[in-house]
Amino acid sequence: MDHHCPWINNCIGFWNRKYFLLLLIYVLLMTYMTAATLAYDFYEAIMWGFQVKFMATNDPKLSANIMIIFAFILDVTVACLMTAFLKFHIMLATENKTTIENLDKQGKPFKSVYNVGGRENWKQIFGQNPWLYPFPIFCGSGKPVGDGIYWPTTNSQQE
């Protein structure tokens, strides 16, 4: 088990870590796309505010512009947080560490005995077939490598 995620109300482990990482990637892509889509409207709302000095209390554009500004700031904030969160989890996946192991070591650098190399670590999560990496499905070659009980270690790779 990696950790319990309160956002999806489930434990993240061997069979669903791929889905968790894909969820983070999809959310991040959507926040970036939303920010890009809202950027021009945000600019227009800010320019409108400076023109009327944000004093036009009877203007029907006021509430719409306030919502656009609020939505853009909220979206950019979530995008920044999700970028850091995804970066952290990609680092954990690449080094074949879990969130619990990382918390146990109190964030201090350590080398996991289960780190068998970036590519092999990635295959343990996403499977053998790179064409299936972006999709939340398991097919024959898209299953995670292993059984979730016994794990290859750096010692078994050297033998």
Side-chain angles (χ1 to χ4, degrees):
M1 181 184 84
D2 187 347
H3 68 282
H4 179 80
C5 178
W7 304 110
I8 61 172
N9 194 26
N10 202 356
C11 289
I12 307 303
F14 180 75
W15 288 107
N16 64 358
R17 194 168 185 191
K18 174 183 178 178
Y19 300 129
F20 177 71
L21 288 172
L22 286 178
L23 172 73
L24 296 180
I25 292 167
Y26 296 158
V27 168
L28 189 63
L29 290 174
M30 289 308 298
T31 56
Y32 286 166
M33 191 171 75
T34 304
T37 305
L38 276 174
Y40 182 74
D41 291 330
F42 176 74
Y43 173 77
E44 288 289 319
I46 293 294
M47 288 299 109
W48 175 86
F50 283 125
Q51 287 174 354
V52 298
K53 309 262 188 285
F54 289 102
M55 301 298 265
T57 56
N58 293 333
D59 195 328
K61 286 184 170 184
L62 179 65
S63 62
N65 286 340
I66 288 174
M67 290 195 335
I68 288 170
I69 292 169
F70 177 74
F72 183 79
I73 291 172
L74 179 65
D75 182 68
V76 169
T77 303
V78 169
C80 291
L81 293 172
M82 289 302 297
T83 300
F85 195 58
L86 179 62
K87 180 182 172 192
F88 172 70
H89 278 282
I90 286 177
M91 182 268 303
L92 289 178
T94 304
E95 297 175 1
N96 212 357
K97 297 177 183 176
T98 66
T99 308
I100 293 174
E101 285 175 324
N102 195 56
L103 288 172
D104 187 42
K105 304 295 184 198
Q106 298 175 354
K108 296 176 185 160
F110 72 98
K111 175 109 168 100
S112 174
V113 296
Y114 302 106
N115 184 356
V116 291
R119 176 170 284 157
E120 294 303 314
N121 294 341
W122 206 250
K123 285 181 183 176
Q124 283 184 0
I125 297 169
F126 284 89
Q128 298 281 357
N129 189 347
W131 291 102
L132 295 177
Y133 285 4
F135 304 109
I137 57 171
F138 284 149
C139 294
S141 61
K143 292 187 332 188
V145 175
D147 60 4
I149 298 172
Y150 300 103
W151 301 87
T153 62
T154 51
N155 298 338
S156 64
Q157 289 272 323
Q158 294 170 351
E159 296 173 354

